[in-house]
Amino acid sequence: MAANGQRRSRQDDESPSNPNKKRKANKNPEKNLLFNLNSCSKSKDLSAALALYDAAVASNEVRLNQQHFQTLLYLCSASISDPSLQTLAVERGYQIFDCMVTSGLTLNEATVTSVARLASAKGDGDYAFKIVKDFASLGGTSIPRLRTYAPALLCFCERLEAEKGYEVEEHMEAAGIALEEAEISALLKVSAATSRENKVYRYLHKLRESVGCVCEETSKVIEDWFCGEKAGEVSGDGIGFDVEMLREAVLRNGGGWHGRGWVGEGKWIVKKDNVSSTGRCLSCNEQLACVDTNEVETQKFVDSLVALAMERKAKMNSSETKVDFSEFQDWLEKHGDYEAIVDGANIGLYQQNFADGGFSLSQLEGVVNELYHKSGDKKWPLILLHKKRVRTLLENPTHRNLVDEWINNGVLYATPPGFNDDWYWLYAAAKLKCLLVTNDEMRDHIFELLSNSFFQKWKERHQVRYTFTKGNLKLEMPPPFSVVIQESEKGSWHVPLASQNNESSRTWMCISRRSVLDSLKINGKLETSENGDSS
């Protein structure tokens, strides 16, 4: 009976005497069309979507809007990867876009991206670039993104139209859009194919700045360049003989690269090998660097921290004791011979969230003593701890002698009320270019002063994490080398390849002039064989 009732109910709904449901479904043909187009998009059914579009145009009853056109153009652009649909997708996509423009509808970034992809598939990089430039000139809230520019750039590169590819890159840079590996690799490839050695050098450094490990396709582009005839003809214009200048440049840059151009002359040897756990290349025996931030970037950050502290001072109310951050700057200038800065609160409060937990001075003392013993010159670290916390420790007879000793020996600095002690320990570590011992993830608003790439690099080089397991301390020191593209003062390159395996089995490309490898053999510094010579 229940089933019969359900059937009657459905029949009643669909009957002419009760047409509410049917009328509701047909009430908004625009919404119905959009729903059906979205269904076609999900199932990647281009033919069905085009049939729906043609029927809507022929009926003259549906008012096509931006969403209809956007969905259709997206589906057309998504279909160009299918050889059997590419011609249809491009031709109909262009027709649909012309209809959209004629209708006077506003373009958005998604629409422009789809049309740029269609133009690129047609081999028309000029039109792909033009539509993006025209869209960018309109301004507004919807602006081009990397994906909007990429079709034109990749099209020009594939067609070996290098200068046009460089023009797209310049337009992107002016818009503040950063290149990613696929785009840099394409520019590197077209530069190599058109024998523009200075551009090749530039894009190798772009990869170094933007990408950690390169994918297989990019590694092939790099290998093809260095194994080619043109690379062997490129000389260093004499700078290869000024090793001291290159060494200073590497130091200024934070290690791992000098950026002064090609070094040396003659044929290149490309090998693939591993790197030891300490960072020594098993092919050429060169020690890889733990790459730090460069002097300009670091000073900019130091200045930002000072400005923030000064701003905090200006906002203090009259009841607060105004302490100038410059007092700490002056103090650090006089006492600043430290190899490590210690975030005292972070260590003292580590794992103390239990009933009788409090500030563990013994944990802090353990870290301080361990750092002292690890120091080659037996230097004490600098502890930064809030003045209120220091006062509490001094009031405890058990702790007083140790804390007094730290203060008198310049091992402990008490940060004043009203200031975030994060500013102090971070400023000290950045200013002195030394280690920072903390488990703080540094996600506070003050750390947003830095670009993400800069801060990640800085933390990798300077942050020391720690653990206490059953009272036993373990310091996790920064890695001995950085897994990024590196350029040495000898002119050699080391390129890490992307891998899903562990770090010890990672493959690196070792790229050196034959003359450099020969000199290492003569000096007895090259112990490995020449197996894997890709020349």
Side-chain angles (χ1 to χ4, degrees), residues 306 310 323-342 380-385 387 390 403-416 423-425 427-429 431-432 434:
V306 174
M310 295 304 184
V323 179
D324 202 325
F325 189 74
S326 61
E327 289 184 18
F328 176 62
Q329 291 177 274
D330 294 340
W331 184 92
L332 196 63
E333 198 71 37
K334 295 174 184 175
H335 300 82
D337 189 22
Y338 299 100
E339 294 178 354
I341 306 299
V342 176
W380 290 103
L382 173 63
I383 309 164
L384 275 304
L385 197 59
K387 187 171 284 187
V390 173
V403 175
D404 271 334
E405 182 183 335
W406 282 348
I407 294 172
N408 294 333
N409 292 331
V411 179
L412 173 62
Y413 185 92
T415 62
W423 305 344
Y424 284 78
W425 49 252
Y427 170 84
K431 179 70 176 175
L432 301 180
C434 64

Side-chain angles (χ1 to χ4, degrees), residues 177-242:
I177 299 172
L179 298 172
E180 293 184 0
E181 183 176 2
E183 292 72 35
I184 301 171
S185 182
L187 287 163
L188 175 63
K189 186 176 182 178
V190 73
S191 300
T194 54
S195 299
R196 289 169 165 85
E197 65 270 16
N198 291 336
K199 288 288 188 179
V200 171
Y201 186 82
R202 178 174 182 267
Y203 292 118
L204 281 172
H205 277 290
K206 279 270 188 183
L207 282 172
R208 178 191 57 76
E209 294 166 6
S210 309
V211 181
C213 304
V214 303
C215 69
E216 185 178 349
E217 184 178 349
T218 301
S219 73
K220 184 69 167 58
V221 173
I222 296 172
E223 185 173 1
D224 286 348
W225 160 256
F226 281 105
C227 290
E229 188 176 337
K230 178 63 179 178
E233 295 172 355
V234 175
S235 67
D237 295 328
I239 67 168
F241 298 102
D242 196 342

Side-chain angles (χ1 to χ4, degrees), residues 235-278:
S235 67
D237 295 328
I239 67 168
F241 298 102
D242 196 342
V243 177
E244 196 57 40
M245 180 193 74
L246 293 174
R247 203 164 284 156
E248 288 175 6
V250 169
L251 190 62
R252 278 197 306 274
N253 294 337
W257 66 285
H258 55 76
R260 301 304 295 268
W262 300 110
V263 175
E265 56 186 21
K267 191 176 181 180
W268 296 86
I269 305 298
V270 180
K271 299 181 181 180
K272 291 181 181 177
D273 211 326
N274 302 118
V275 168
S276 74
S277 60
T278 59

Side-chain angles (χ1 to χ4, degrees), residues 34-50:
L34 183 60
F35 176 83
N36 291 329
L37 287 175
N38 284 331
S39 297
C40 292
S41 181
K42 288 177 182 177
S43 61
K44 298 181 180 180
D45 192 341
L46 177 62
S47 299
L50 292 175

Side-chain angles (χ1 to χ4, degrees), residues 91-352:
E91 288 179 356
R92 292 306 308 271
Y94 267 63
Q95 292 172 8
I96 291 166
F97 181 62
D98 287 341
C99 184
M100 181 180 184
V101 172
T102 303
S103 301
L105 293 171
T106 303
L107 304 183
N108 61 17
E109 182 273 332
T111 300
V112 173
T113 297
S114 294
V115 177
R117 287 172 178 165
L118 292 170
S120 177
K122 194 179 178 181
D124 193 351
D126 291 316
Y127 185 68
F129 190 26
K130 179 183 181 301
I131 190 175
V132 178
K133 287 190 292 185
D134 290 346
F135 176 63
S137 67
L138 296 174
T141 55
S142 184
I143 58 175
R145 295 158 57 183
L146 172 64
R147 68 176 189 174
T148 322
Y149 282 99
L153 188 148
L154 297 176
C155 181
F156 287 139
C157 291
E158 188 176 335
R159 296 171 68 86
L160 299 185
E161 297 181 272
E163 292 299 334
K164 290 182 178 180
Y166 303 150
E167 186 184 349
V168 177
E169 182 199 5
E170 289 175 9
H171 208 273
M172 293 172 70
E173 285 185 351
I177 299 172
L179 298 172
E180 293 184 0
E181 183 176 2
E183 292 72 35
I184 301 171
S185 182
L187 287 163
L188 175 63
K189 186 176 182 178
V190 73
S191 300
T194 54
S195 299
R196 289 169 165 85
E197 65 270 16
N198 291 336
K199 288 288 188 179
V200 171
Y201 186 82
R202 178 174 182 267
Y203 292 118
L204 281 172
H205 277 290
K206 279 270 188 183
L207 282 172
R208 178 191 57 76
E209 294 166 6
S210 309
V211 181
C213 304
V214 303
C215 69
E216 185 178 349
E217 184 178 349
T218 301
S219 73
K220 184 69 167 58
V221 173
I222 296 172
E223 185 173 1
D224 286 348
W225 160 256
F226 281 105
C227 290
E229 188 176 337
K230 178 63 179 178
E233 295 172 355
V234 175
S235 67
D237 295 328
I239 67 168
F241 298 102
D242 196 342
V243 177
E244 196 57 40
M245 180 193 74
L246 293 174
R247 203 164 284 156
E248 288 175 6
V250 169
L251 190 62
R252 278 197 306 274
N253 294 337
W257 66 285
H258 55 76
R260 301 304 295 268
W262 300 110
V263 175
E265 56 186 21
K267 191 176 181 180
W268 296 86
I269 305 298
V270 180
K271 299 181 181 180
K272 291 181 181 177
D273 211 326
N274 302 118
V275 168
S276 74
S277 60
T278 59
R280 192 163 294 281
C281 175
L282 300 183
S283 178
C284 70
N285 209 35
E286 186 166 309
Q287 176 63 45
L288 299 184
C290 186
V291 180
D292 204 348
T293 54
N294 65 46
E295 292 179 357
V296 175
E297 291 174 316
T298 304
Q299 189 57 48
K300 182 181 177 182
F301 178 46
V302 169
D303 293 342
S304 298
L305 287 168
V306 174
L308 190 71
M310 295 304 184
E311 182 184 334
R312 172 67 184 96
K313 177 194 170 188
K315 290 179 179 178
M316 283 182 170
N317 59 49
S318 56
S319 64
E320 293 179 297
T321 303
K322 291 200 174 184
V323 179
D324 202 325
F325 189 74
S326 61
E327 289 184 18
F328 176 62
Q329 291 177 274
D330 294 340
W331 184 92
L332 196 63
E333 198 71 37
K334 295 174 184 175
H335 300 82
D337 189 22
Y338 299 100
E339 294 178 354
I341 306 299
V342 176
D343 177 3
N346 185 266
I347 295 166
L349 296 172
Y350 177 75
Q351 291 185 336
Q352 297 301 303

